[in-house]
Amino acid sequence: MRCRLASVTPGSASLATIAIFLAACPAPNPPPRAPATPVAATSDAGPAPAAPPVPAEEVPKLRLPRAFVPTGYAAKLAIDPDKPTFEGSIAIDGTVAEPTRVIWVHGYHLSIHSAKATREGTSIPIAVTPHGEELLELRPESPLDPGAWQLALDYTGSIDPVVTLGAFKEVTGNRSYVFTQFESVGARRVFPCFDEPDSKVPWTLTLDVPAADLAVANTMPAHDAELPGNMHRYEFAPTKPLPSYLVAFGIGPFDIVPAGKTKSGVPVRVIAPKGRAPEAAYAAQNTARVLDLLEDWFGIPYAFGKLDVMAIPLTSGFGAMENAGLVTFAESLLLLDAQHPSWQRRHRYIQVASHELAHQWFGDLVTTAWWDDIWLNEGFANWMETKIVAKFDPSWHADLSEVEMRKSAEQADSLVTARKIRQPIEDENDILDSFDGITYDKGASVLRMFEAFVGADTFQRGVRDYLTSKQYGNATSAEFIAAIGKAANRDLAPAFSTFLDQAGLPQLTFDLQCGHGKPRVSIAQTRYVGDTPPPEATKPWIIPVCIAYDSANGRAQTCTLVDAPTAMVELPGSCPRWIAPNAGGRGYYRVDLTVRQATALRDEAWSALTPAERLVTFFDVTTSATQAHQGQELPLALAMSFVPKLLAAGDRFSISDVGALADRLEWYAQPDQRTKLDTWLRETFGPGAAKLGALPKDGDDLDAEASRGELYELTAYEGRDPELVKQAIDLAAHWRDLPEAVRGNILAVAVDASPEVQAKVREEAKTEKDTVKLGDELSALARIRDPQRLEEALGAMLDPAIDFRRSMWMLSNLDVSTLGVRQAFFKAHQAALLKRLPAIDDTGTSVYAFAQPFAQDCDAGRRDELATYMKQTFSSIPGAPRRITQLIEGLDRCISTRKLLAPEVRGWLGGVKIIKASKPAKPQKSTK
């Protein structure tokens, strides 16, 4: 996985938390391009003639032809982290099925010095011609006969100083390191190779590095030796069969922290930058246990001999990567405060580690055959991570994380322009687009729904059979679904297909009918979209649906498979007072509730609902009330009546969901309503904030810590509570000494309120060495609401003393009152900011850093101006075209929703009774 990134304030428990550290990066001067004319490679037979030109129609457009099928790679690289280039040689063993005149491989900005094909002692020179930036045409002097051959190439490549793709350099603690990130198409920056997932063969890697440095890779060294010139050679053992994107290495003066062994004897280590070993303690104590839990669930031994987890100081476009035997993490995920790590960062490490280590089976042991099935890797790992987290610590309520994942998927899937899980891959942009919420969260939610349908034990048996039958190879969705269907003894392919092969989110209505015989529930399905109809009709989804209801014996439940536009379900007994149409919260569909149904769930059913069902109900109700869409619209006042119900639960998920609703209200309230909305925020969330206090206490757990942050944010920052603001300014005098769990929120409140604190933080950011603290500083500066002071703070994005990869997300810390300032700042410095974008953004996510202030401006009068500007300005960013289209659709929905909701917000606020807020607790000393 590349942990997907979004731009949200550091300090929360979500992956978006670390976006300020894991952001995109400025463009370096590109390395010299490979020559456009053929390289006459040398061999024992002498120089080869220049290759004849290749007709344009023969140049591969996307997938490589397989005239030569690789069976193994042996690569040797000489890398000094202090030098901009490296020397490489690679021997590719393979077979030719019929006489072959040309072989195509990938190679990005590699300068080929020589190439030859060898068979049984005979060498044939190869002429190498680059085509575009990605392809190398290998044309032997004479055709290669059928049989086994070895291709050997010597070349020079570049170490990127900024873009974290391919092999890249980072400097931390005044020491240089080289790391790699090859998914999805980065291996071609280091090796001439078949850089596609179905080319899965063993790799043997040799690294020559400075003697003062260490080298790590997918396997342990089989041999190492000193070399002349103060160099050291590491010859690593051959890997199991791997696609190129899972090969990895790291070079530098690492601290290597032993992390014990698993129950089955797998050795585990943490690889950290020099001097950072103490911060690896939590990962060292817990990683082997995560691997144990995965081995237990899969029932299949870990396949890759050893496990290293390695910290990368700064990542761009990814947060962690599942390289076989060498899993990489952004250091903000892996390295924690050595004395008092926050619960949220501990939870985040276990969550991400569970995801990445699940990939060692789903993705590494069995690899998707092509990128259109990448959901088999990422959706499965997202699905699996909650299972492992639940076993690791049941008090973390991973089952409610599943609901949050489902909600994220539904939001992405509600767009008319939403893509399919199995979106056809027609060009490289489609590969980049594949790593999104549809792949990760919808993929996981669909798996979770069908697991509930067939039963957890049956589903597990199918997964184990699938992995066993396909281990060390490649597989497709069809093969996975067939294995689950075989275990369940039913054909699941048609039902899965309706979710994998068409875009969109099912919306179901439920009509309880009583009075004539047994009670019946009529079910109808449509596609859920905004107020713009979808461009094409969807076929009916085949949906497992479970309905909970009250009966004479208490709560009861019935399940059915809805496979048509309408269906009917009979309920035994008398007419129930209520029905919960998504029992367990695992159905991947939204429910279009009526006022009567929603009221019954609130007043009659609430105590009988599970926590997951309550969250699902709240989401369905608030979505209907606060978003323009095709379907029933519920009154805002009804949605707000659920707020006390949810807050009474007191868990972090419920508080966060109410906070999300409050954010929406702020977006659609008018400026003259701001004071009254602030009062409602303080009175709604202030008592909880006062109870938990601003600083950690003994006995805090994950829920308490995360809830404290959410309530403090809603009361002190959003609600502008004067006493908490004053408290924050006082605490900010020594903000570096504050526990990391609360530091970011307190600093944001203080910087927003105090020009003096702003000036201090702005100056300190220039020389900040601690990446987590730098994230706190930049996020606080980005959240200033005074227009003049915000414009001054955004200047950090242009400050050469601050790494742009850390600061570029500052524009996207949005507040409705500052959109104009952010838009004006970007336009005033557009050339300079775009120049600093990465030369290639392997995920396309950098578009969000700059486009969001324009996409979130719900001004109907400026719609065309904003849409045109985004298209003209950002569409050239790799991977951005689809994202721009979706941002514009989001803009249109925002405009429609503001028109619908603004009068309701005014009416609701007009009826709010203001009760004097309880006085917040005085600043207390942390007991942590």
Side-chain angles (χ1 to χ4, degrees):
M1 148 184 146
R2 292 91 66 79
C3 293
R4 294 155 296 128
L5 303 180
S7 54
V8 179
T9 309
S12 72
S14 69
L15 176 59
T17 301
I18 55 168
I20 200 111
F21 321 124
L22 311 183
C25 36
N29 295 321
R33 295 179 179 233
T37 54
V39 174
T42 61
S43 76
D44 297 340
V54 177
E57 63 272 11
E58 293 184 17
V59 178
K61 297 297 189 293
L62 184 62
R63 303 190 72 166
L64 296 178
R66 297 295 165 85
F68 176 90
V69 177
T71 57
Y73 293 87
K76 295 181 180 180
L77 307 176
I79 298 179
D80 183 339
D82 287 321
K83 294 181 179 179
T85 61
F86 66 89
E87 297 300 318
S89 64
I90 193 166
I92 311 174
D93 292 325
T95 59
V96 172
E98 57 186 37
T100 299
R101 293 182 176 275
V102 62
I103 297 169
W104 293 94
V105 299
H106 291 110
Y108 182 89
H109 291 180
L110 301 178
S111 297
I112 309 299
H113 307 314
S114 65
K116 62 183 179 181
T118 303
R119 178 184 180 185
E120 297 177 351
T122 300
S123 293
I124 299 176
I126 296 176
V128 181
T129 306
H131 288 267
E133 292 191 316
E134 306 285 339
L135 295 175
L136 298 175
E137 175 197 353
L138 309 185
R139 190 170 286 272
E141 185 180 61
S142 58
L144 302 185
D145 295 330
W149 289 87
Q150 184 181 87
L151 309 180
L153 297 91
D154 295 325
Y155 59 98
T156 299
S158 298
I159 304 294
D160 202 296
V162 179
V163 178
T164 58
L165 185 66
F168 54 92
K169 173 182 177 178
E170 299 206 347
V171 178
T172 183
N174 297 318
R175 295 171 182 266
S176 298
Y177 298 80
V178 168
F179 303 97
T180 60
Q181 168 62 21
F182 291 161
E183 190 182 37
S184 53
V185 291
R188 64 193 65 179
R189 290 171 164 242
V190 176
F191 309 112
C193 62
F194 291 78
D195 198 13
E196 296 176 351
D198 64 332
S199 181
K200 187 175 183 182
V201 299
W203 286 71
T204 302
L205 184 63
T206 298
L207 296 176
D208 293 348
V209 305
D213 289 339
L214 300 173
V216 293
N218 301 90
T219 58
M220 294 296 288
H223 306 283
D224 70 287
E226 294 181 3
L227 296 177
N230 204 29
M231 298 289 284
H232 198 95
R233 173 167 291 171
Y234 292 87
E235 299 179 9
F236 294 92
T239 71
K240 300 292 186 181
L242 294 178
S244 53
Y245 80 84
L246 291 175
V247 176
F249 59 83
I251 299 167
F254 297 113
D255 283 352
I256 297 184
V257 182
K261 293 183 178 182
T262 66
K263 293 177 182 177
S264 60
V266 177
V268 180
R269 306 184 301 177
V270 182
I271 313 298
K274 187 71 174 178
R276 306 290 295 277
E279 297 166 74
Y282 187 76
Q285 292 163 6
N286 293 287
T287 303
R289 184 181 168 207
V290 172
L291 200 59
D292 282 335
L293 292 171
L294 285 159
E295 278 196 321
D296 288 344
W297 194 93
F298 285 116
I300 299 171
Y302 174 76
F304 301 105
K306 60 91 175 176
L307 173 64
D308 292 338
V309 293
M310 180 166 67
I312 301 178
L314 175 62
T315 62
S316 172
F318 73 103
M321 180 62 205
E322 68 267 20
N323 314 297
L326 180 63
V327 179
T328 54
F329 294 80
E331 70 171 38
S332 56
L333 286 170
L334 181 62
L335 303 181
L336 276 60
D337 185 308
Q339 300 300 318
H340 301 294
S342 71
W343 277 108
Q344 292 171 88
R345 290 191 65 199
R346 281 182 271 186
H347 169 262
R348 191 65 189 136
Y349 175 70
I350 298 303
Q351 187 180 41
V352 178
S354 297
H355 180 113
E356 301 306 332
L357 299 188
H359 274 309
Q360 303 299 299
W361 285 264
F362 247 86
D364 297 8
L365 181 64
V366 179
T367 305
T368 181
W370 183 237
W371 297 114
D372 57 354
D373 269 334
I374 194 61
W375 79 280
L376 274 178
N377 291 8
E378 303 300 353
F380 186 93
N382 255 25
W383 171 79
M384 194 67 194
E385 74 183 41
T386 59
K387 288 185 175 297
I388 300 306
V389 172
K391 289 182 178 294
F392 185 90
D393 191 332
S395 73
W396 289 354
H397 306 301
D399 58 319
L400 300 186
S401 296
E402 295 175 356
V403 178
E404 300 303 304
M405 197 179 294
R406 171 185 168 274
K407 285 163 43 182
S408 174
E410 289 189 3
Q411 289 168 333
D413 214 14
S414 68
L415 296 175
V416 172
T417 50
R419 66 176 192 85
K420 307 168 187 176
I421 292 180
R422 293 194 73 254
Q423 186 73 26
I425 304 296
E426 298 175 353
D427 58 34
E428 195 166 297
N429 271 331
D430 290 330
I431 298 176
L432 307 185
D433 284 343
S434 296
F435 296 88
D436 66 357
I438 297 297
T439 289
Y440 288 76
D441 293 333
K442 182 177 179 179
S445 299
V446 169
L447 288 171
R448 197 169 289 121
M449 177 174 64
F450 282 103
E451 177 195 24
F453 176 60
V454 303
D457 291 342
T458 298
F459 199 89
Q460 182 184 43
R461 186 166 65 253
V463 169
R464 289 177 170 184
D465 291 346
Y466 164 79
L467 291 172
T468 300
S469 66
K470 298 294 180 181
Q471 61 182 330
Y472 302 115
N474 298 87
T476 64
S477 290
E479 291 168 315
F480 170 75
I481 295 164
I484 303 299
K486 182 180 179 181
N489 197 29
R490 63 187 304 160
D491 183 8
L492 296 174
F496 260 106
S497 179
T498 62
F499 286 92
L500 299 181
D501 298 320
Q502 69 176 351
L505 169 66
Q507 175 173 267
L508 274 58
T509 59
F510 294 78
D511 181 19
L512 176 61
Q513 302 169 5
C514 299
H516 300 284
K518 291 183 178 180
R520 298 181 300 169
V521 178
S522 173
I523 306 171
Q525 63 163 296
T526 58
R527 179 176 174 179
Y528 175 74
V529 290
D531 56 354
T532 302
E536 58 185 25
T538 54
K539 63 183 179 181
W541 285 269
I542 302 177
I543 313 169
V545 173
C546 288
I547 303 170
Y549 57 94
D550 74 307
S551 70
N553 298 318
R555 173 181 162 131
Q557 183 170 310
T558 187
C559 298
T560 189
L561 195 66
V562 176
D563 59 0
T566 61
M568 188 72 72
V569 180
E570 286 190 348
L571 303 180
S574 59
C575 188
R577 294 173 300 158
W578 56 267
I579 61 170
N582 193 347
R586 288 195 161 196
Y588 185 72
Y589 52 85
R590 79 169 302 273
V591 179
D592 200 19
L593 293 164
T594 66
V595 170
R596 182 176 179 180
Q597 290 168 337
T599 303
L601 287 167
R602 181 195 66 192
D603 297 341
E604 303 285 348
W606 199 257
S607 63
L609 300 181
T610 67
E613 290 165 350
R614 293 173 184 173
L615 293 178
V616 168
T617 298
F618 186 71
F619 182 70
D620 284 337
V621 169
T622 55
T623 300
S624 288
T626 63
Q627 185 168 284
H629 66 285
Q630 292 188 335
Q632 301 178 84
E633 292 169 357
L634 297 180
L636 176 62
L638 176 60
M640 301 309 298
S641 72
F642 279 79
V643 167
K645 293 278 191 181
L646 216 62
L647 287 180
D651 64 85
R652 69 188 190 276
F653 301 98
S654 299
I655 293 170
S656 177
D657 282 3
V658 176
L661 175 59
D663 288 342
R664 272 174 272 169
L665 295 178
E666 180 179 15
W667 213 253
Y668 299 117
Q670 298 301 309
D672 66 310
Q673 301 167 291
R674 181 72 240 189
T675 299
K676 201 161 190 181
L677 180 58
D678 289 349
T679 305
W680 178 83
L681 288 166
R682 292 195 296 269
E683 293 183 356
T684 300
F685 302 106
K691 181 179 179 181
L692 287 172
L695 298 176
K697 301 175 182 176
D698 287 335
D700 275 354
D701 58 11
L702 176 60
D703 259 354
E705 182 182 279
S707 297
R708 174 183 292 108
E710 187 79 27
L711 291 166
Y712 187 90
E713 162 84 6
L714 290 162
T715 307
Y717 181 81
E718 301 291 350
R720 297 172 168 86
D721 184 285
E723 293 195 36
L724 289 182
V725 169
K726 181 180 183 303
Q727 175 189 22
I729 294 172
D730 292 341
L731 290 171
H734 303 286
W735 70 270
R736 292 177 178 278
D737 298 327
L738 294 173
E740 68 174 10
V742 300
R743 186 176 60 217
N745 276 341
I746 290 173
L747 192 63
V749 172
V751 168
D752 179 56
S754 168
E756 292 76 20
V757 178
Q758 173 188 348
K760 176 185 176 184
V761 169
R762 175 68 179 85
E763 189 63 28
E764 290 177 355
K766 296 180 180 180
T767 55
E768 185 62 67
K769 301 300 182 184
D770 185 309
T771 57
V772 177
K773 289 186 174 70
L774 178 58
D776 291 335
E777 292 164 334
L778 295 177
S779 179
L781 292 169
R783 301 183 67 202
I784 293 171
R785 288 173 289 198
D786 177 85
Q788 184 175 349
R789 290 175 53 217
L790 174 61
E791 182 179 1
E792 178 184 347
L794 291 175
M797 298 177 69
L798 302 169
D799 190 336
I802 299 175
D803 192 324
F804 184 67
R805 295 171 294 180
R806 312 278 186 186
S807 67
M808 70 173 291
W809 291 95
M810 292 179 70
L811 279 177
S812 61
N813 278 275
L814 300 183
D815 180 272
V816 66
S817 66
T818 62
L819 286 176
V821 177
R822 297 172 193 278
Q823 292 173 10
F825 182 87
F826 179 80
K827 287 185 174 181
H829 304 285
Q830 176 176 321
L833 292 170
L834 288 175
K835 185 177 180 180
R836 303 188 80 184
L837 275 176
I840 180 171
D841 172 12
D842 192 40
T843 62
T845 53
S846 63
V847 67
Y848 295 122
F850 294 159
Q852 286 216 50
F854 302 93
Q856 295 294 321
D857 189 334
C858 306
D859 186 344
R862 298 183 61 212
R863 187 272 176 199
D864 291 344
E865 170 199 340
L866 293 165
T868 299
Y869 182 79
M870 286 190 286
K871 288 179 182 178
Q872 293 177 344
T873 307
F874 305 117
S875 290
S876 61
I877 296 173
R882 178 184 290 275
R883 289 172 168 83
I884 291 296
T885 299
Q886 293 189 329
L887 285 172
I888 293 172
E889 183 182 345
L891 171 64
D892 290 336
R893 179 175 287 186
C894 184
I895 291 169
S896 299
T897 299
R898 173 172 284 180
K899 181 179 179 181
L900 170 77
L901 197 59
E904 284 212 68
V905 172
R906 180 172 292 278
W908 169 73
L909 282 173
V912 170
K913 294 181 180 180
I914 304 302
I915 302 172
K916 186 176 181 181
S918 58
K919 189 175 182 180
K922 293 181 179 180
Q924 83 276 20
K925 293 182 179 180
S926 173
T927 58
K928 297 291 284 182

